[in-house]
Amino acid sequence: MRGYSTTREDYLKRLRRIEGQVRGLQRMIDEDKYCIDILTQVSAVTKALQSVAVRLLDEHVRHCVRDADDDTADEMISEATRAIERLVTS
Amino acid sequence: MRGYSTTREDYLKRLRRIEGQVRGLQRMIDEDKYCIDILTQVSAVTKALQSVAVRLLDEHVRHCVRDADDDTADEMISEATRAIERLVTS
Amino acid sequence: MRGYSTTREDYLKRLRRIEGQVRGLQRMIDEDKYCIDILTQVSAVTKALQSVAVRLLDEHVRHCVRDADDDTADEMISEATRAIERLVTS
Amino acid sequence: MRGYSTTREDYLKRLRRIEGQVRGLQRMIDEDKYCIDILTQVSAVTKALQSVAVRLLDEHVRHCVRDADDDTADEMISEATRAIERLVTS
């Protein structure tokens, strides 16, 4: 369907944007910006990170779990479930 | 009690560490690291950001809301509540 | 401004609705409903609970923290911050 | 491995406990309990619900997605991903 390298490029692009947003937060702190505006920006970065995570998880189930043999798949699903737990509570 | 500049330095230190973690995520993607390990790292960055947010909120209520006159404080609390809503759902 | 009893009645109404939704979830499990539909409903209940929490927090800061003397207010804000932390990570 | 009916009984047990906790919240409101104690209890109920959700998701991938043919599985994974998105942001 689509090459993995394209996806990788897409993840990198998102993460570079997130890195830029985190540097933006440093500037806001440095320039004494209004606290609530900084908080709004923190929420935006968090959402962007969660979206990367959900997408990684989707691809993991789609490509790794489904191609695995039964025993490996069982272990992989348990592992993915624990990752979801960490995401939901972070 | 403590100078604001110390706090600012502390926020900057945390945000620089978060920036480093986001660059670490890019490296992990680049080196084709195992998906679940990347997810664990995404959760760690999200937690670090949420912790910055909660701390900003604490200081906001402590310093700005309490020093404000009644009308301004009312508006500031509504604003802080909306910020908490965005945090809780991000 | 508005009587506390009205607010209490409003909280009780929301919580009774949430109780009904939780009973609805039991029915869905009992009738073997499709897993994803149950999950959608769980997310709705969680959002309703978070909304009760954010509202309680708003009133707490508005009424209790602001009316407290300085030392008590300091302790109350620390306490509220810990409650926000628990909410953000639940 | 284990019969589905056992699992169903387990979900029902958890949901009945959650229903009891929601009634407990109503009592706390009714008895004018301290706001922060109510918030702590709301966080506990939310965590219990999230834990039901993560478990439902685990079983869904384990039993439905893996048994589905390729096209259906693709659609099911997209559906599960959207459910995770709703959970993460609720």
Side-chain angles (χ1 to χ4, degrees), chain B residues 67-80:
Chain B
D67 292 349
D69 61 76
D70 273 11
D71 282 356
T72 316
D74 260 334
E75 182 41 46
M76 276 182 154
I77 293 169
S78 301
E79 204 182 49

Side-chain angles (χ1 to χ4, degrees), chain B residues 56-69:
Chain B
L56 279 165
L57 206 53
D58 178 282
E59 301 221 20
H60 183 64
V61 175
R62 212 173 286 275
H63 301 297
C64 307
V65 175
R66 276 175 68 197
D67 292 349
D69 61 76

Side-chain angles (χ1 to χ4, degrees), chain B residues 58 62 66 70 74 81, chain C residues 58 62 66 70 74 78 81:
Chain B
D58 178 282
R62 212 173 286 275
R66 276 175 68 197
D70 273 11
D74 260 334
T81 297
Chain C
D58 177 282
R62 212 174 285 277
R66 278 175 66 197
D70 273 11
D74 260 335
S78 301
T81 297

Side-chain angles (χ1 to χ4, degrees), chain D residues 1-2 8-12 20 23 25 27 30 34 37 42-43 45 52 62 71 74 83 87 90:
Chain D
M1 241 165 97
R2 63 176 151 58
R8 176 154 61 192
E9 208 33 68
D10 179 65
Y11 281 124
L12 287 175
R23 266 199 303 269
L25 282 168
R27 252 189 325 272
D30 221 37
Y34 185 50
D37 295 333
V42 173
S43 292
V45 184
V52 167
R62 213 173 283 274
D71 281 357
D74 261 335
L87 278 181
S90 75

Side-chain angles (χ1 to χ4, degrees), chain B residues 62 66, chain C residues 70-80 82, chain D residues 34:
Chain B
R62 212 173 286 275
R66 276 175 68 197
Chain C
D70 273 11
D71 281 356
T72 317
D74 260 335
E75 183 40 47
M76 276 182 154
I77 293 169
S78 301
E79 204 181 48
R82 287 190 297 269
Chain D
Y34 185 50

